[in-house]
Amino acid sequence: MRGDLLKKELGIFTFQDLLEHFPNRHIDKTQIGKINEITQQTEYIQVAGTLIDFEVFGERHTKRLVAHVRDNTGILELTWFQGISWVHKNLYVGSTYLIFGKVGFFNGKPQIVHPEIEVFVPAVADGKAFLEPVYPTTEKLKARALNGRQLSKLTYALFTVLAEKDIEENIPMELVQRLGLMNRYLAFRSAHFPQSDESYKQAIYRLKFEEFFIAQVRLNLIRLQRHKVSRGLVFERVSDYFNGFYNHHLPFQLTGAQKRVLKEIRNDTAHGHQMNRLLQGDVGSGKTIVALLSMLLAADNGFQSCMMAPTEILAQQHYNGLSELLKEMPLEIALLTGSTKTKERRRILQGLLDDTIHFVVGTHAIIEDVVQFKNLGLAIVDEQHRFGVAQRAKLWNKATIPPHMLVMTATPIPRTLAMTAYGDLDYSVMDELPPGRTPILTVHRHETARASVMDFVKSEIDKGRQAYFVYPLIEESEKLSYEDLMQGYEQVKSFFPDHKYQISMVHGKQPADQKAVNMQRFVSGDTQLLVGTTVIEVGVNVPNASVMVIESAEKFGLSQLHQLRGRVGRGTEKSFCILLTGSKVSVDGRERINIMCATNDGFKISEKDLEIRGPGDIEGTRQSGVLNFKLASIINDKDLLELAKLEAEKLLHEDLEINMAKNLLLKRYLQLQKGKTSWSKIS
Ligand code: ADP
Ligand code: MG
């Protein structure tokens, strides 16, 4: 019964789960407050009071039980909405109880809803631990009397039967000693029932380190073993394709960052182990050319390459861009998407099979089983956060020896997040923009200033530039988003009459080919304005566009705003990003807008995003599981994470198989966790 509730409400299935259900904080049991000391500022209070009455009011779901307790200073009201019959059965008027809970005020009088309550036993000064853990619990559990106190008793009881050997050390002794870590058994014990503030601190430090360390060992094990034992294709030659292009067709000098990443890629692919590299580069940092040069490297070694983009528009654009760059090169490139016509499709499938097509750019269409290669050597995934791990794995299976993988993302990821969410990949950062860019000026304007915003946009267009207007996708209702967009379109049209200005519109409801046509008209400069939803978010490259107007900007997340802004500032002209909002903006919304106005640095923005939203919410990391730390936080414990990574790598460099005697405990722990079965069930 209780077991069921614990499972349902807190996810506690086993003793280990119970051990890992850590208290939020501890209270000193000897600290008993007085009722008349409660003020509006009091958050939690613990009092000892005698029950004077209780009464049930209301019917069914309005039913509540109100009780009063008295100490020698005043009277406090207690209320239950659930578990009323339990209160009826178990509390007695005239008995004295120890009561703990969060204070609220109702009609000016203090009260506690669903207090923790137990028979009061005066604390005896027996020198025992008196820091009592307070556990996170739920209203339902509280109402069933399985409150924090009960959990505490359960956990305490568990420790009376657990011996040191039952909570075995999992960090090598040498490391425990060198870092001065508390041993594992003691750490668990002290996290729940500390002897002092100091021992609590040490326990938490140790447990956080353990969480990071174990995760880092796991992730780096995958990464380092791949370097050592995985089989991979060897790109040993740098020859005519690469050099020919580099020397004669490269339209600009590579940035230092681009050169460094290329070196990393060459190094990764030269040694017979599979490359699995994440390339992070802020919007506009020039990832495409790095991708192309890598593809040329593959071609020099007799291999085909594919490049996947998340949308048809992007695939088309990559195809156009790459075809243009390659037009003087004796290489065949094809575009394969959902809307490729049957005949062309057949031609491409054949060409990939007989190796007359060297490069294929496309959407998800590329991973379909019918697409077979003669000799796939390199698979590139652009804008990675829209592709899942499973989809990447499908690419691996298109060759007997898995192709090298280059995953590119324009959503900068804070280092700590990358270390945990993508710790199994190698990663490169391009933290330098090509020269000659003028920074984008970002401003916030209220709806009331729309007319002057429109005038400004007009003046830019009259100078020969182009502009975007983006409307949010309303998650709950596609219909509403669509209506918003249509209204917006009409509004823009009223400012930009069609005898003088041309407008393209793109949105998710359009058939792909229509979308592509509209987009293409903007890309080619036939239209000066592009009105759309976030479908234009990723990758689109129109260097002549200099204004990005984001409507209802408060409705967008930070990384999305940054992505959208990245659509301008791609040419040499000064560019502008205008964030339009109504007059009412939430606190979070305002913070996002302030950050956007303050910086253009994608990495800074991603750090802020992580702070505001927490790691669980960052796109693409949700399912990864590696972020489920119970105590440690990649936001607040960065230094500890760095330390854990360093130590994990050090250990693996010395003992990649984890076979040395001194690492035995760690090995055993990892094996145990793999087939993580419960120690024993709570019934
Ligand atoms: P992203 O990293 O966002 O995918 P792109 O690859 O689309 O960026 O490049 C953005 C723009 O910068 C393109 O117009 C590209 O031609 C240009 N570019 C890339 N590298 C350089 C460079 N080293 N010097 C000058 N321009 C560059
Ligand atoms: Mg790109």
Side-chain angles (χ1 to χ4, degrees), residues 381-399:
V381 181
D382 194 18
E383 312 300 353
Q384 167 271 343
H385 59 285
R386 304 228 173 153
F387 282 114
V389 178
Q391 289 167 320
R392 267 191 274 151
K394 273 195 133 180
L395 282 170
W396 283 41
N397 297 330
K398 292 203 178 286

Side-chain angles (χ1 to χ4, degrees), residues 250-256 258 281-290 317-318 325 382-383 408-410 430 433-437 539-543 563 566-567 569-571:
L250 188 64
F252 36 66
Q253 281 254 310
L254 293 185
T255 64
Q258 285 170 324
D282 209 345
V283 276
S285 59
K287 293 181 290 294
T288 318
I289 202 77
V290 172
Q317 190 168 312
H318 272 318
L325 286 164
D382 194 18
E383 312 300 353
M408 307 198 293
T409 169
M430 295 216 302
L433 293 181
R437 305 260 170 91
V540 179
N541 189 26
V542 181
Q563 276 294 316
R567 297 309 108 214
R570 310 195 133 233

Side-chain angles (χ1 to χ4, degrees), residues 434-585:
R437 305 260 170 91
T438 23
I440 304 161
L441 179 66
T442 304
V443 295
H444 173 207
R445 291 286 178 271
H446 286 293
E447 191 58 42
T448 46
R450 177 173 293 275
S452 72
V453 168
M454 291 302 196
D455 282 341
F456 174 75
V457 176
K458 205 173 269 175
S459 72
E460 280 292 297
I461 290 179
D462 291 344
K463 279 193 248 164
R465 305 280 94 77
Q466 288 165 282
Y468 296 94
F469 283 85
V470 181
Y471 293 80
L473 273 175
I474 299 166
E475 241 170 55
E476 313 87 67
S477 164
E478 203 184 342
K479 194 163 155 270
L480 265 182
S481 312
Y482 184 70
E483 284 169 5
D484 266 15
L485 177 68
M486 288 309 147
Q487 266 179 24
Y489 176 70
E490 291 304 326
Q491 198 174 33
V492 173
K493 236 169 114 172
S494 69
F495 279 95
F496 295 92
D498 55 10
H499 61 270
K500 203 168 163 208
Y501 302 95
Q502 301 299 313
I503 308 175
S504 282
M505 180 162 59
V506 293
H507 56 82
K509 276 183 142 185
Q510 272 165 341
D513 49 346
Q514 195 185 333
K515 205 177 349 182
V517 168
N518 290 348
M519 196 65 224
Q520 196 47 46
R521 294 185 64 214
F522 185 71
V523 173
S524 63
D526 291 346
T527 59
Q528 298 91 36
L529 292 128
L530 182 73
V531 176
T533 52
T534 43
V535 291
I536 67 159
E537 176 187 339
V538 261
V540 179
N541 189 26
V542 181
N544 188 48
S546 67
V547 191
M548 167 62 67
V549 180
I550 304 180
E551 302 271 354
S552 306
E554 77 279 8
K555 296 210 173 110
F556 292 84
L558 264 179
S559 71
Q560 227 177 5
L561 288 172
H562 182 64
Q563 276 294 316
L564 286 169
R565 176 169 61 184
R567 297 309 108 214
V568 296
R570 310 195 133 233
T572 44
E573 296 304 321
K574 173 105 189 136
S575 290
F576 305 88
C577 176
I578 302 169
L579 306 173
L580 271 172
T581 71
S583 52
K584 278 207 196 103
V585 179

Side-chain angles (χ1 to χ4, degrees), residues 307-411:
M307 181 168 179
M308 266 202 325
T311 66
E312 193 125 340
I313 292 175
L314 267 181
Q316 176 79 50
Q317 190 168 312
H318 272 318
Y319 173 74
N320 295 348
L322 296 180
S323 304
E324 179 63 27
L325 286 164
L326 290 173
K327 66 176 190 266
E328 316 259 320
M329 302 284 297
L331 284 162
E332 269 305 305
I333 180 167
L335 174 69
L336 183 65
T337 70
S339 54
T340 305
K341 299 279 183 297
T342 315
K343 203 172 144 211
E344 169 70 353
R345 182 182 194 79
R346 218 174 282 141
R347 183 188 75 84
I348 294 173
L349 294 185
Q350 188 55 43
L352 291 174
L353 259 185
D354 61 24
D355 198 20
T356 49
I357 293 177
H358 307 95
F359 301 153
V360 61
V361 177
T363 53
H364 287 74
I366 294 182
I367 53 180
E368 282 167 21
D369 291 335
V370 291
V371 182
Q372 298 287 329
F373 294 81
K374 168 115 184 270
N375 216 349
L376 181 64
L378 173 67
I380 297 171
V381 181
D382 194 18
E383 312 300 353
Q384 167 271 343
H385 59 285
R386 304 228 173 153
F387 282 114
V389 178
Q391 289 167 320
R392 267 191 274 151
K394 273 195 133 180
L395 282 170
W396 283 41
N397 297 330
K398 292 203 178 286
T400 358
I401 297 182
H404 294 299
M405 296 282 309
L406 180 64
V407 172
M408 307 198 293
T409 169
T411 309

Side-chain angles (χ1 to χ4, degrees), residues 146-274:
L146 237 173
N147 54 33
R149 288 263 154 83
Q150 304 293 330
L151 269 176
S152 155
K153 279 187 185 156
L154 218 55
T155 312
Y156 194 84
L158 182 58
F159 273 106
T160 61
V161 296
L162 283 181
E164 189 143 351
K165 67 169 175 31
D166 297 320
I167 304 183
E168 211 172 33
E169 189 52 77
N170 56 6
I171 298 177
M173 271 331 281
E174 180 273 329
L175 193 53
V176 169
Q177 277 161 11
R178 182 155 49 81
L179 300 181
L181 301 175
M182 189 180 256
N183 89 40
R184 190 156 189 259
Y185 168 79
L186 210 58
F188 269 103
R189 208 189 158 101
S190 308
H192 290 278
F193 303 101
Q195 297 292 333
S196 64
D197 287 345
E198 184 51 34
S199 66
Y200 178 72
K201 253 192 226 144
Q202 280 186 23
I204 295 301
Y205 183 84
R206 138 93 216 196
L207 293 170
K208 283 180 174 177
F209 179 81
E210 171 184 325
E211 284 190 303
F212 279 151
F213 180 73
I214 297 294
Q216 286 300 313
V217 167
R218 279 221 180 83
L219 291 164
N220 285 287
L221 195 63
I222 298 172
R223 193 172 64 86
L224 295 172
Q225 285 200 338
R226 189 177 57 238
H227 291 181
K228 267 228 161 114
V229 297
S230 81
R231 247 177 7 126
L233 304 164
V234 188
F235 294 179
E236 57 197 340
R237 270 190 307 273
V238 182
S239 182
D240 294 353
Y241 291 131
F242 188 98
N243 289 330
F245 179 82
Y246 199 97
N247 296 329
H248 303 295
H249 306 299
L250 188 64
F252 36 66
Q253 281 254 310
L254 293 185
T255 64
Q258 285 170 324
K259 284 188 190 154
R260 187 176 36 151
V261 171
L262 263 178
K263 251 190 216 138
E264 288 169 342
I265 292 169
R266 276 186 51 190
N267 191 39
D268 283 355
T269 53
H271 297 110
H273 299 296
Q274 192 210 10

